[in-house]
Amino acid sequence: MSVHLDEKVAPIYQEVLARNPGETEFHQAVREVLESLGPVLSKYPEFRDSKVIERICEPERQIIFRVPWLDDQNRIQVNRAFRVEFSSVLGPYKGGMRFHPSVYLGIIKFLGFEQIFKNSLTGLPIGGGKGGSDFDPKGKSDAEVMRFCQSFMTELYRHLGEHTDVPAGDIGVGARELGYMFGQYKRITNRYESGVLTGKGLNWGGSLVRKEATGYGATFFAQEMLKARGDSLEGKTCVVSGSGNVAIYTIEKVHQFGGKVVACSDSNGVIFHEKGIDLDLLKQLKEVERRRVKDYASYHKDAIFTENGNIWEIPCQVAFPSATQNEVNGKDAAKLVKNGCIAVSEGANMPTTPEGVEIFLEAKIAYGPAKAANAGGVATSALEMQQNASRDSWDFEYTEKRLQDIMMKIHRSAAETAEEFGTPGNLVNGANIAGFIRVAKAMLAMGVI
Ligand code: NDP
Ligand code: 2IT
């Protein structure tokens, strides 16, 4: 990594490396934020004196627990689960839970750290946290997923609460898993506490637009970036990696804006459909039948499936990385730019490696970093909490308008902050600094906590 760490923050980063050995994704997420903060400490020496950064890098609380459960053959299975409660100065800990075999403490900490600044950027009253488990929902029966979720919640419930910690979904956690978790929470606590989880079903306390929110939000963000350059998504060829919750609703909104998504993917390969992805089919395969993108090709003979293909080699004007961390490396970023990509809006968390980020910034394409571009999901979670607190439910149009306004404000705030700190157009700096300052000021106000 060639970006220079300011001398005021370099020792803090060294300390983070020493105190958190082996947690490479966490190191990467911390470094990316710290690279933006040198000028902030010069402008606000009080942040330095009160060790705001040192404190932010240490989670307020970390919970690691065993999740034993019985599979369909009545064999005992054991998983490990985490909830990292990073920062609660702006509100209750808020952030999703990820079920994926790759999950370990370093991944949950990177996600929780990012979540602090993302949530701050939304302007809403939510702190930052993240959780998850190395449980793999793929290939499990509904009954197995239910028993796992019940065991998971039987331990976690004591740490949650609508004013304490409010989880939601992430990779491998959607409406099915949240339903099982909410049911178990309700049963153990004997409370119908709607605001304890977000992403709930629409008939039991969920909010319209939450399911669509991250993908729609990332698309609104792309549209804002393009608007700032006198352009729009209309007529643009786009590529969206992944085929989960974020990818599906990114494709939907891009199509509504008149763009055309020609490719999506999963961990087995890439589907390319020059006519444009058939979203009804994709939803049926992924949301209803829980199948693979490979199967898409058996319904559309003109679609091409490439096993283990690299989606970033497909020429596009706008790219939406929406699968997982570090899915776009330096080579991929260079290829995208060479092929004429003018905008990247990150639906996934930290999908671009530091080398890739540098290439996008140097090429001066419109680059929307995850903590700004994918904040629509958690922002709509906060809207769900508002509806739960007032025992109300808003209609789709109104909720979507609120989401769009929030995404426009996040874009404006990141763009203005980038300008104020001498790096116009650099939304990485803008998002990191704007997100950080709101948290830092709250920490100063609350004393040494
Ligand atoms: P889903 O589980 O619905 O979908 C994940 C998609 O990404 C699947 O297509 C999956 O393929 C692919 N994927 C996941 N892990 C890997 C991997 N290690 N290698 C290759 N492909 C992978 O998750 P979401 O759509 O909810 O999440 C996608 C991204 O968006 C994540 O980075 C998440 O943190 C982020 N995000 C999600 C939000 C939300 O509201 N859901 C909010 C903000 C960010 P396969 O099925 O083969 O595993
Ligand atoms: O990464 C994220 O912002 C999420 N997975 C959504 C978190 C939330 O609480 O809605």
Side-chain angles (χ1 to χ4, degrees):
M1 272 174 278
S2 63
V3 178
H4 175 68
L5 265 187
D6 185 279
E7 58 173 19
K8 294 187 282 306
V9 296
I12 305 175
Y13 181 63
Q14 289 310 319
E15 185 72 16
V16 168
L17 292 182
R19 284 168 68 82
N20 303 280
E23 297 175 0
T24 50
E25 296 84 358
F26 179 53
H27 303 162
Q28 184 183 336
V30 169
R31 181 169 177 124
E32 192 238 89
V33 171
L34 263 48
E35 280 171 359
S36 301
L37 296 185
V40 180
L41 293 189
S42 303
K43 184 167 176 193
Y44 297 95
E46 62 272 33
F47 292 165
R48 192 179 178 186
D49 298 341
S50 54
K51 300 215 166 179
V52 165
I53 302 181
E54 290 88 332
R55 284 191 277 154
I56 283 185
C57 290
E58 185 69 21
E60 289 177 14
R61 186 179 297 111
Q62 306 186 56
I63 301 144
I64 304 182
F65 55 102
R66 176 170 72 197
V67 186
W69 56 282
L70 283 178
D71 67 17
D72 286 345
Q73 284 71 46
N74 268 335
R75 288 177 309 216
I76 295 169
Q77 302 287 342
V78 180
N79 285 96
R80 183 177 293 172
F82 308 85
R83 185 75 185 164
V84 175
E85 298 179 334
F86 237 109
S87 170
S88 62
V89 283
L90 295 180
Y93 307 107
K94 183 81 197 87
M97 293 186 295
R98 176 177 292 190
F99 290 172
H100 193 272
S102 62
V103 164
Y104 77 106
L105 187 58
I107 290 204
I108 301 301
K109 279 168 71 178
F110 116 64
L111 290 163
F113 185 76
E114 289 278 294
Q115 200 85 45
I116 306 171
F117 307 102
K118 181 197 304 191
N119 295 4
S120 167
L121 275 173
T122 67
L124 298 164
I126 39 178
K130 200 83 187 190
S133 172
D134 57 7
F135 175 73
D136 186 359
K138 272 198 208 99
K140 304 288 191 300
S141 69
D142 285 352
E144 288 176 321
V145 170
M146 180 183 76
R147 289 193 291 273
F148 174 82
C149 290
Q150 290 181 338
S151 180
F152 177 87
M153 190 50 93
T154 299
E155 180 57 34
L156 190 61
Y157 86 97
R158 71 191 79 244
H159 301 287
L160 307 182
E162 61 178 326
H163 301 296
T164 309
D165 187 349
V166 183
D170 193 84
I171 290 175
V173 177
R176 174 182 60 170
E177 291 74 18
L178 289 165
Y180 295 144
M181 286 186 226
F182 186 77
Q184 186 72 348
Y185 182 87
K186 185 181 74 59
R187 184 182 183 201
I188 296 174
T189 59
N190 196 32
R191 283 163 61 87
Y192 204 106
E193 192 184 331
S194 298
V196 73
L197 289 179
T198 60
K200 297 182 292 296
L202 295 177
N203 53 349
W204 47 278
S207 171
L208 284 165
V209 191
R210 176 61 190 89
K211 181 176 68 173
E212 295 84 356
T214 310
Y216 279 20
T219 313
F220 287 138
F221 199 86
Q223 185 77 334
E224 285 306 297
M225 291 195 295
L226 289 168
K227 202 161 83 189
R229 293 165 181 237
D231 205 343
S232 81
L233 279 165
E234 171 99 46
K236 297 287 185 296
T237 298
C238 305
V239 155
V240 178
S241 65
S243 50
N245 173 263
V246 178
I248 286 173
Y249 292 95
T250 300
I251 298 172
E252 184 161 287
K253 189 48 80 178
V254 168
H255 286 172
Q256 286 174 16
F257 274 134
K260 184 171 72 166
V261 177
V262 296
C264 64
S265 62
D266 61 21
S267 56
N268 297 125
V270 176
I271 196 89
F272 173 68
H273 198 183
E274 198 168 9
K275 270 203 326 231
I277 295 290
D278 171 351
L279 191 58
D280 290 339
L281 173 62
L282 190 68
K283 282 185 182 175
Q284 177 67 24
L285 289 174
K286 303 303 293 190
E287 294 187 328
V288 182
E289 299 173 20
R290 295 183 189 277
R291 289 166 67 186
R292 314 297 299 159
V293 292
K294 181 180 185 205
D295 301 329
Y296 183 102
S298 51
Y299 295 86
H300 283 287
K301 296 299 171 208
D302 53 341
I304 302 163
F305 176 74
T306 310
E307 199 161 344
N308 299 321
N310 182 350
I311 194 167
W312 311 121
E313 288 175 0
I314 298 171
C316 68
Q317 290 156 296
V318 186
F320 293 90
S322 308
T324 194
Q325 64 276 356
N326 292 327
E327 57 169 313
V328 183
N329 62 28
K331 257 180 146 166
D332 300 328
K335 186 89 185 173
L336 279 164
V337 171
K338 183 165 164 269
N339 282 341
C341 179
I342 56 165
V344 175
S345 186
E346 295 183 336
N349 284 305
M350 203 169 75
T352 309
T353 64
E355 294 75 19
V357 173
E358 225 181 300
I359 286 167
F360 291 148
L361 291 176
E362 267 169 23
K364 296 203 182 303
I365 65 164
Y367 171 56
K371 60 173 80 62
N374 75 30
V378 77
T380 308
S381 280
L383 302 182
E384 181 171 330
M385 291 162 74
Q386 277 184 41
Q387 291 168 78
N388 293 153
S390 58
R391 300 190 185 278
D392 196 1
S393 58
W394 307 340
D395 67 28
F396 195 94
E397 211 183 353
Y398 174 75
T399 316
E400 188 184 13
K401 181 76 180 66
R402 292 282 304 260
L403 167 64
Q404 185 170 16
D405 286 347
I406 291 167
M407 296 315 296
M408 288 167 78
K409 276 192 204 144
I410 294 174
H411 176 264
R412 195 181 323 131
S413 154
E416 286 174 1
T417 308
E419 187 123 0
E420 183 191 336
F421 282 83
T423 53
N426 183 334
L427 300 180
V428 175
N429 275 342
N432 286 340
I433 295 172
F436 172 78
I437 288 177
R438 183 168 172 236
V439 178
K441 286 185 172 169
M443 287 176 74
L444 278 192
M446 292 183 199
V448 180
I449 55 168

